[in-house]
Amino acid sequence: MTPHDGGPAASARPRVVLGVGAGIAAYKVCELLRRFTESGHDVTVVPTADALRFVGEPTWAALSGRPVATRVWDGVADVPHVRIGQTADLVFVAPATADLLARAAHGLADDLLTNTLLTARCPVVFAPAMHTEMWEHPATQANVATLRARGSIVVDPASGRLTGKDTGPGRLPDPEALFEVARGVLARGALPRDLDGRHVVVSAGGTREALDPVRFLGNRSSGLQGYALARTAAARGARVTLVAANVALPDPAGVRVVVVESALQLREAVLSAADRADAVVMAAAVADFRPAGYRPSKIKKRDGASAPSIELVQNPDVLAELGARPHAGQVIVGFAAETDDVLANGRAKLARKGCDLLVVNQVGADLAFGRPDNAAVVLGADGSSVEVPRGPKEALADVVWDLVAARLDG
């Protein structure tokens, strides 16, 4: 992490300002604060006055281990309305209410939190939460666009149950997903907004092909790489549709998730979303075959009887189907998980599938599947080749989006 001007040395604990808006979702932010403190971050909580109606000052102080900064006029000698923002490595605002987004977009400084936002020279992240009508109102959308244009990261809210009986977009994403956003911004700095206005589709996980009500044919894919791609694309400004096959991970913040199980379901979801997408990244491990027939009752093991045979039929090749369709202006990215002759097999697959980029990686025992790191070579249909050394899956995701963005701009 490179310290900003006036910030702490690189060896210091990362300094996070956690701004809390006046919304019922403030109770969720207690869990986000716990994740920050338990992972070694130095957190200063700056709630608005009305936020303390939802979660009181003693709770924030106990969870952060620090006094809570609430008023411009407390400790005036230390100039808190300037110093807190100047010395932060990250300002994270959650929940960001419609009122708070409006005040931030218009540069108002009528309390300690909005003063802090004006003096911060570090990345700033807003996690909005409000009723659907408020989120979709043109004024709120204009304020969000203004903040993004100035370089702030505004995480799209999740869809789900809101206060009372209301359901729709406006729900604060889960604390774990928000923490992943913060962790990524601190690790990599503010990402370029080179996917602003773009719609991208990412597939993740591994499909399952049912044999009977309790058994299936599947694979070892965890979805970690696909989810890293989705998170990174959202942080770079894209509208992301994530088609997730059998993934036990929290939904990435600001991402629309479509849950599927089989290869046929994944095909339908991806092709439908791809019609309106600027880029499609097929990171999911899609089963090549499925059982020819489904047994409606559990297949029984019978003493003395031979094991039943299972007839397989071939699944549609979704990546090849995408590559074969006219896709001028759309970038298609495939993944090739290989166990041997990795590059030779990858180049042959690139030519066969008709995609623009192919991410080739070696899989096997303790490689790729279920691990937080990955190494790959990204092959281009134009003959290019980019080697990505082993590192976090987010790093590989950044390289993929760098290459996609360059092709979209070109």
Side-chain angles (χ1 to χ4, degrees), residues 75-118:
V76 174
D78 295 326
V79 200
H81 72 288
V82 173
R83 188 63 56 202
I84 292 174
Q86 284 181 334
T87 57
D89 295 301
L90 172 69
V91 177
F92 200 105
V93 182
T97 62
D99 174 73
L100 187 49
L101 291 172
R103 289 191 287 142
H106 288 82
L108 300 183
D110 54 357
D111 63 6
L112 186 56
L113 178 54
T114 49
N115 273 273
T116 298
L117 291 170
L118 286 178

Coordinates of all heavy atoms in Angstrom, one line a residue, residues 75-118:
G75 N -12.5 18.5 20.6 CA -11.1 18.5 20.4 C -10.6 19.5 19.3 O -9.8 19.1 18.4
V76 N -11.1 20.7 19.3 CA -10.9 21.7 18.3 C -9.4 21.9 18.0 O -8.9 22.1 16.9 CB -11.6 23.0 18.6 CG1 -11.2 24.1 17.6 CG2 -13.1 22.8 18.6
A77 N -8.6 21.8 19.1 CA -7.1 22.0 18.9 C -6.5 21.1 18.0 O -5.5 21.4 17.3 CB -6.4 21.9 20.3
D78 N -7.1 19.9 17.8 CA -6.5 18.9 16.9 C -7.1 19.0 15.5 O -6.8 18.2 14.6 CB -6.8 17.4 17.4 CG -6.1 17.2 18.7 OD1 -4.9 17.7 18.8 OD2 -6.6 16.4 19.5
V79 N -8.0 20.0 15.3 CA -8.6 20.2 14.0 C -9.2 19.0 13.4 O -8.8 18.5 12.3 CB -7.6 20.9 13.0 CG1 -8.4 21.6 11.9 CG2 -6.7 21.9 13.7
P80 N -10.1 18.3 14.1 CA -10.6 17.0 13.6 C -11.3 17.0 12.3 O -11.2 16.0 11.5 CB -11.6 16.5 14.7 CG -12.0 17.8 15.4 CD -10.8 18.7 15.3
H81 N -12.0 18.1 11.9 CA -12.7 18.2 10.7 C -11.8 18.1 9.5 O -12.2 17.9 8.3 CB -13.6 19.4 10.6 CG -12.9 20.7 10.4 ND1 -12.1 21.3 11.4 CD2 -12.8 21.5 9.3 CE1 -11.6 22.4 11.0 NE2 -12.0 22.6 9.7
V82 N -10.5 18.4 9.7 CA -9.5 18.3 8.6 C -8.6 17.1 8.8 O -8.4 16.3 7.8 CB -8.6 19.6 8.6 CG1 -7.5 19.4 7.6 CG2 -9.5 20.8 8.3
R83 N -8.1 16.9 10.0 CA -7.1 15.8 10.3 C -7.6 14.4 10.0 O -6.9 13.6 9.5 CB -6.6 16.0 11.7 CG -5.4 15.1 12.0 CD -4.2 15.5 11.2 NE -3.9 16.9 11.4 CZ -3.2 17.6 10.5 NH1 -2.8 17.0 9.4 NH2 -2.9 18.8 10.7
I84 N -8.9 14.1 10.4 CA -9.4 12.8 10.2 C -9.3 12.3 8.8 O -8.8 11.2 8.4 CB -10.8 12.6 10.8 CG1 -10.8 12.8 12.3 CG2 -11.4 11.3 10.4 CD1 -12.2 12.9 12.9
G85 N -9.8 13.1 7.8 CA -9.7 12.8 6.4 C -8.3 12.8 5.9 O -8.0 11.9 5.0
Q86 N -7.5 13.7 6.3 CA -6.1 13.8 5.8 C -5.3 12.6 6.1 O -4.4 12.2 5.3 CB -5.4 15.1 6.3 CG -5.9 16.4 5.7 CD -5.1 17.5 6.3 OE1 -4.7 17.5 7.5 NE2 -5.0 18.6 5.6
T87 N -5.5 12.0 7.2 CA -4.6 10.9 7.7 C -5.2 9.5 7.4 O -4.7 8.5 7.8 CB -4.3 11.0 9.2 OG1 -5.6 11.0 9.9 CG2 -3.6 12.3 9.5
A88 N -6.3 9.4 6.6 CA -6.9 8.1 6.4 C -6.3 7.5 5.1 O -5.9 8.1 4.2 CB -8.4 8.3 6.2
D89 N -6.3 6.1 5.1 CA -6.0 5.4 4.0 C -7.2 5.0 3.2 O -7.2 4.6 2.0 CB -5.3 4.1 4.4 CG -3.9 4.4 5.0 OD1 -3.1 5.0 4.3 OD2 -3.7 4.0 6.1
L90 N -8.4 5.0 3.9 CA -9.6 4.7 3.2 C -10.8 5.3 4.0 O -10.8 5.2 5.3 CB -9.8 3.1 3.2 CG -11.2 2.6 2.7 CD1 -11.4 2.9 1.2 CD2 -11.4 1.1 3.0
V91 N -11.7 5.9 3.3 CA -13.0 6.3 4.0 C -14.1 5.4 3.4 O -14.3 5.4 2.2 CB -13.3 7.8 3.7 CG1 -14.6 8.2 4.3 CG2 -12.2 8.7 4.3
F92 N -14.8 4.8 4.3 CA -15.8 3.8 3.9 C -17.1 4.3 4.5 O -17.2 4.3 5.8 CB -15.5 2.4 4.3 CG -16.2 1.3 3.5 CD1 -15.6 0.6 2.5 CD2 -17.6 1.1 3.8 CE1 -16.2 -0.4 1.8 CE2 -18.2 0.1 3.1 CZ -17.6 -0.6 2.1
V93 N -18.2 4.6 3.8 CA -19.4 5.1 4.3 C -20.5 4.1 4.1 O -20.8 3.7 3.0 CB -19.8 6.4 3.6 CG1 -21.1 7.0 4.2 CG2 -18.7 7.5 3.7
A94 N -21.1 3.6 5.2 CA -22.2 2.6 5.2 C -23.0 2.7 6.4 O -22.4 2.8 7.5 CB -21.6 1.2 5.0
P95 N -24.3 2.8 6.3 CA -25.0 2.9 5.1 C -25.0 4.4 4.6 O -25.1 5.3 5.4 CB -26.5 2.5 5.5 CG -26.6 2.9 6.9 CD -25.2 2.6 7.5
A96 N -24.9 4.5 3.3 CA -24.9 5.8 2.7 C -26.4 6.1 2.3 O -26.9 5.5 1.4 CB -24.0 5.9 1.5
T97 N -27.0 7.0 3.1 CA -28.4 7.3 2.8 C -28.6 8.2 1.6 O -27.6 8.8 1.1 CB -29.1 7.9 4.0 OG1 -28.4 9.2 4.3 CG2 -29.0 7.0 5.3
A98 N -29.8 8.4 1.1 CA -30.0 9.3 0.0 C -29.6 10.7 0.4 O -29.0 11.4 -0.4 CB -31.5 9.3 -0.4
D99 N -29.9 11.1 1.6 CA -29.5 12.4 2.1 C -28.0 12.6 2.1 O -27.5 13.6 1.7 CB -30.1 12.7 3.5 CG -29.6 14.0 4.1 OD1 -30.1 15.0 3.7 OD2 -28.8 13.9 5.0
L100 N -27.3 11.6 2.6 CA -25.9 11.7 2.8 C -25.2 11.7 1.4 O -24.2 12.5 1.2 CB -25.3 10.5 3.6 CG -23.9 10.5 4.0 CD1 -23.4 11.8 4.5 CD2 -23.6 9.3 4.9
L101 N -25.7 10.9 0.4 CA -25.2 10.9 -0.9 C -25.4 12.3 -1.5 O -24.5 12.8 -2.2 CB -25.9 9.9 -1.8 CG -25.6 8.4 -1.5 CD1 -26.5 7.5 -2.3 CD2 -24.1 8.1 -1.8
A102 N -26.5 12.9 -1.3 CA -26.8 14.3 -1.8 C -25.9 15.3 -1.3 O -25.3 16.1 -2.0 CB -28.3 14.6 -1.6
R103 N -25.7 15.2 0.1 CA -24.8 16.2 0.7 C -23.3 16.0 0.2 O -22.6 17.0 -0.1 CB -24.8 16.1 2.2 CG -26.2 16.6 2.8 CD -26.1 16.7 4.3 NE -26.2 15.4 4.9 CZ -25.5 15.1 6.0 NH1 -24.7 16.0 6.6 NH2 -25.6 14.0 6.6
A104 N -22.9 14.8 0.0 CA -21.5 14.5 -0.4 C -21.4 15.0 -1.9 O -20.4 15.6 -2.2 CB -21.2 13.0 -0.3
A105 N -22.4 14.7 -2.7 CA -22.3 15.1 -4.1 C -22.2 16.6 -4.3 O -21.6 17.1 -5.2 CB -23.5 14.5 -4.9
H106 N -22.9 17.4 -3.4 CA -22.9 18.8 -3.5 C -21.9 19.5 -2.7 O -21.9 20.7 -2.6 CB -24.3 19.3 -3.2 CG -25.4 19.0 -4.2 ND1 -26.0 17.8 -4.3 CD2 -25.8 19.7 -5.2 CE1 -26.8 17.8 -5.3 NE2 -26.7 19.0 -5.9
G107 N -21.0 18.7 -2.1 CA -19.9 19.3 -1.3 C -20.3 20.0 -0.1 O -19.5 20.9 0.4
L108 N -21.4 19.7 0.5 CA -21.8 20.3 1.8 C -20.9 19.8 2.9 O -20.3 18.7 2.9 CB -23.2 20.0 2.1 CG -24.3 20.5 1.1 CD1 -25.7 20.2 1.6 CD2 -24.1 21.9 0.8
A109 N -20.7 20.6 3.9 CA -19.9 20.3 5.1 C -20.5 20.8 6.3 O -20.0 21.6 7.0 CB -18.5 21.0 4.9
D110 N -21.7 20.2 6.6 CA -22.5 20.6 7.8 C -22.3 19.7 9.0 O -23.0 19.9 10.0 CB -23.9 20.8 7.4 CG -24.5 19.5 6.8 OD1 -23.8 18.5 6.6 OD2 -25.7 19.5 6.5
D111 N -21.5 18.7 8.9 CA -21.2 17.9 10.1 C -19.8 17.3 9.9 O -19.1 17.6 8.9 CB -22.2 16.8 10.3 CG -22.3 15.8 9.2 OD1 -21.4 15.8 8.2 OD2 -23.2 14.9 9.2
L112 N -19.3 16.5 10.9 CA -18.0 16.0 10.9 C -17.7 15.1 9.7 O -16.7 15.1 9.1 CB -17.6 15.3 12.2 CG -16.2 14.9 12.4 CD1 -15.2 16.0 12.2 CD2 -16.0 14.2 13.7
L113 N -18.7 14.2 9.4 CA -18.5 13.2 8.3 C -18.4 13.9 7.0 O -17.5 13.6 6.2 CB -19.7 12.2 8.3 CG -19.6 11.2 7.2 CD1 -18.3 10.4 7.2 CD2 -20.8 10.2 7.4
T114 N -19.2 14.9 6.7 CA -19.1 15.5 5.4 C -17.9 16.4 5.3 O -17.3 16.5 4.2 CB -20.4 16.4 5.1 OG1 -20.7 17.2 6.2 CG2 -21.6 15.5 4.7
N115 N -17.4 17.0 6.4 CA -16.1 17.6 6.4 C -15.0 16.6 6.1 O -14.1 16.9 5.3 CB -15.8 18.3 7.8 CG -16.4 19.7 7.9 OD1 -15.7 20.7 7.5 ND2 -17.6 19.8 8.4
T116 N -15.1 15.5 6.7 CA -14.0 14.4 6.4 C -14.0 14.0 5.0 O -12.9 13.8 4.4 CB -14.3 13.2 7.3 OG1 -14.3 13.6 8.7 CG2 -13.4 12.1 7.1
L117 N -15.2 13.9 4.3 CA -15.2 13.5 2.9 C -14.5 14.6 2.1 O -13.9 14.2 1.1 CB -16.7 13.3 2.5 CG -17.4 12.1 3.1 CD1 -18.9 12.2 2.8 CD2 -16.8 10.8 2.6
L118 N -14.7 15.8 2.4 CA -14.1 16.9 1.6 C -12.5 17.0 1.8 O -11.8 17.4 0.9 CB -14.7 18.3 2.0 CG -16.1 18.5 1.5 CD1 -16.6 19.9 2.0 CD2 -16.1 18.4 0.0

